[in-house]
């Protein structure tokens, strides 16, 4: 088919429904008795579940695993081959978010998954719990593919300050840093722009996409905390999130984590420090009381790092928790030099 020459051939991971067939050859007999199609690049397709006409009827076909070609041989009442409207196929089966990202970087950018290039120990932790996704990618850069995959998990591919790559997810526990109030060198800047932009009290996660129509066949609604959040913030908003999940369990897990993060109006602060911040990375946590002229600048005292500029020793952080230090008889309560801390809330 001349219309597909030089077009990007789609690649895919996981179970894909409603894939649009790409015609590559057709019988020249009159009437034609077969049509050859491809669904994905031959190095990515692993199986074919079904080929269907415009009415959803299954068509007789054969599949060549070596070439990736799917030949339709179903004939109509006039003896002419029936054209395929969509296909259900499976791409590469190593289809977790982390596996796809590592594969794409190795195949397309020659970035191998080895210690030194990666923080393999930390990235392996993400690989252990990240969800599977079904990805149909019909063109673009490696960056486009990685962004498409990561949006399913509030996760990040980051380069740490020591140069190594890693995968991290919002809400997981990473390195905690202690900073004293006197180490703040400039007045903090506070804003609620991200908190108000992304706030939601109900999250609807769309999943199980039918590729041809870009239509989501299933959704999961998490409105369990709608009333509580409204009472606390006087705000109500339902946000829809499109995903590449196939299972309700993954959709439910994401919906719960979305509400945990965006159902609270957390401020973002920027602070300059008089200490070396080279060892502080994205999604690390920082314990610091923001006190200016003996007055608290924020009720938060544990923060999650959104940006670190080690050249200027500037941190951009989002409020995470309200901490109180324990004391006995007016003296700090500590063990082996470590002071006891009690988390008392998460703010609004």
């Amino acid at each position: 088919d001349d219309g597909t020459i030089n077009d990007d051939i789609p690649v895919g991971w996981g179970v894909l429904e409603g894939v649009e067939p790409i015609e590559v050859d057709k019988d020249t007999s009159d009437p034609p008795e077969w049509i050859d199609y491809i669904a994905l690049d031959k190095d990515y397709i692993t199986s074919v579940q079904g080929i269907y006409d415009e009415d959803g009827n299954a068509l007789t076909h054969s599949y060549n695993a070596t070439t990736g070609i799917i030949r339709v041989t179903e004939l109509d009442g006039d003896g002419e081959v029936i054209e395929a409207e969509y296909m259900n196929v499976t791409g590469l089966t190593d289809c977790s978010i982390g596996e796809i990202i590592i594969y794409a970087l190795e195949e397309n950018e020659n970035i191998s998954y080895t210690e030194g290039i990666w923080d393999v120990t930390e990235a392996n932790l993400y690989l252990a719990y990240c969800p599977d996704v079904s990805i149909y990618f019909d063109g673009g850069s490696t960056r486009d593919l990685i962004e498409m995959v990561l949006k399913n998990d509030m996760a990040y591919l980051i380069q740490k300050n020591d140069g190594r790559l890693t995968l991290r997810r919002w809400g997981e526990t990473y390195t905690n840093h202690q900073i004293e109030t006197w180490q703040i060198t400039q007045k903090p800047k506070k804003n609620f722009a991200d908190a108000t932009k992304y706030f939601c009290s109900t999250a609807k996660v769309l999943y199980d996409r039918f590729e041809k129509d870009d239509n989501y066949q299933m959704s999961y609604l998490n409105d369990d905390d709608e009333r509580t959040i409204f009472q606390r913030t006087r705000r109500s908003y339902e946000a829809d999130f499109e995903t590449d999940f196939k299972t309700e369990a993954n959709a439910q897990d994401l919906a719960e984590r979305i509400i945990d993060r965006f159902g609270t109006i957390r401020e973002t602060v920027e602070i300059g420090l008089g200490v070396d911040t080279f060892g502080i990375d994205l999604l690390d946590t920082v314990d610091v009381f923001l006190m200016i002229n003996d007055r608290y600048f924020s009720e938060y005292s544990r923060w999650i790092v959104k940006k670190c500029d080690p050249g200027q020793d500037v941190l951009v952080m989002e409020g995470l928790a309200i901490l109180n230090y324990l004391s006995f008889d007016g003296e700090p309560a500590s063990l082996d030099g470590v002071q006891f801390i009690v988390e008392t809330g998460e703010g609004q």
Side-chain angles (χ1 to χ4, degrees):
D1 183 349
D2 292 342
T4 63
I5 293 176
N6 294 327
D7 281 2
D8 288 330
I9 299 175
V11 297
W13 287 263
V15 176
L16 301 167
E17 297 178 81
V19 172
E20 189 168 356
I22 301 172
E23 183 178 320
V24 294
D25 199 7
K26 188 173 185 178
D27 183 16
T28 57
S29 301
D30 187 17
E33 297 182 348
W34 55 263
I35 303 177
D36 285 346
Y37 297 98
I38 58 173
L40 302 172
D41 183 288
K42 65 182 178 62
D43 294 327
Y44 286 77
I45 188 169
T46 57
S47 64
V48 176
Q49 284 70 60
I51 314 298
Y52 303 91
D53 66 14
E54 61 183 358
D55 296 319
N57 298 310
L59 301 178
T60 303
H61 65 278
S62 59
Y63 166 57
N64 186 319
T66 302
T67 63
I69 291 177
I70 302 163
R71 174 166 291 188
V72 173
T73 54
E74 185 86 16
L75 305 180
D76 63 17
D78 297 322
E80 182 174 351
V81 64
I82 300 173
E83 294 184 354
E85 184 70 16
Y86 64 91
M87 304 177 169
N88 295 344
V89 301
T90 299
L92 296 180
T93 54
D94 292 334
C95 59
S96 75
I97 290 173
E99 287 172 323
I100 294 173
I101 291 170
I102 290 169
Y103 180 91
L105 289 174
E106 286 184 329
E107 289 294 307
N108 302 333
E109 308 298 333
N110 200 29
I111 299 175
S112 60
Y113 188 62
T114 57
E115 191 61 61
I117 296 176
W118 284 82
D119 181 342
V120 172
T121 300
E122 186 172 85
N124 279 345
L125 293 175
Y126 179 74
L127 287 172
Y129 60 70
C130 65
D132 288 350
V133 286
S134 294
I135 297 292
Y136 178 79
F137 188 69
D138 59 0
S141 65
T142 304
R143 181 189 182 96
D144 294 334
L145 173 60
I146 290 174
E147 289 179 349
M148 177 182 182
V149 174
L150 284 173
K151 72 177 178 62
N152 294 282
D153 199 31
M154 294 169 61
Y156 303 85
L157 169 66
I158 69 171
Q159 185 172 33
K160 303 175 80 169
N161 288 332
D162 64 10
R164 293 179 299 166
L165 297 174
T166 190
L167 290 162
R168 288 184 168 188
R169 182 164 80 177
W170 188 283
E172 300 299 323
T173 301
Y174 302 104
T175 304
N176 177 259
H177 307 268
Q178 307 286 323
I179 294 176
E180 300 296 333
T181 300
W182 60 265
Q183 294 173 314
I184 301 173
T185 58
Q186 63 186 38
K187 183 179 179 180
K189 301 175 183 177
K190 181 194 297 187
N191 75 79
F192 292 88
D194 285 349
T196 54
K197 180 179 180 180
Y198 298 110
F199 170 83
C200 60
S201 51
T202 293
K204 179 188 288 186
V205 174
L206 309 177
Y207 67 101
D208 194 16
R209 185 170 63 234
F210 192 81
E211 301 293 340
K212 187 176 185 300
D213 301 327
D214 196 23
N215 177 50
Y216 293 87
Q217 302 175 94
M218 302 293 292
S219 67
Y220 180 86
L221 183 70
N222 182 349
D223 60 356
D224 295 347
D225 297 321
E226 168 70 31
R227 177 171 301 204
T228 301
I229 293 171
F230 180 76
Q231 290 174 343
R232 186 178 69 241
T233 65
R234 311 312 295 175
R235 295 168 180 257
S236 178
Y237 181 74
E238 178 186 308
D240 293 351
F241 295 84
E242 298 179 350
T243 72
D244 300 297
F245 295 143
K246 279 296 182 184
T247 69
E248 182 181 68
N250 286 336
Q252 178 179 355
D253 177 67
L254 178 62
E256 291 172 352
R257 288 187 287 111
I258 287 170
I259 293 299
D260 183 61
R261 180 180 180 188
F262 298 120
T264 301
I265 302 175
R266 308 172 191 267
E267 65 228 45
T268 294
V269 299
E270 178 181 315
I271 60 171
L273 298 170
V275 294
D276 185 8
T277 59
F278 181 80
I280 302 177
D281 292 301
L282 179 70
L283 301 190
D284 280 355
T285 54
V286 172
D287 291 351
V288 58
F289 287 93
L290 300 184
M291 184 180 292
I292 308 298
N293 297 326
D294 295 325
R295 299 186 66 176
Y296 285 108
F297 187 76
S298 172
E299 64 178 346
Y300 287 101
S301 42
R302 174 163 289 169
W303 307 82
I304 188 165
V305 177
K306 298 171 69 174
K307 182 179 179 181
C308 177
D309 181 352
Q312 301 296 321
D313 291 324
V314 172
L315 296 179
V316 177
M317 311 180 297
E318 183 174 303
L320 185 62
I322 301 167
L323 306 178
N324 285 294
Y325 290 109
L326 287 182
S327 62
F328 293 118
D329 296 328
E331 296 294 327
S334 61
L335 178 65
D336 296 331
V338 178
Q339 190 168 359
F340 289 111
I341 298 174
V342 176
E343 182 175 329
T344 59
E346 298 181 349
Q348 285 194 341

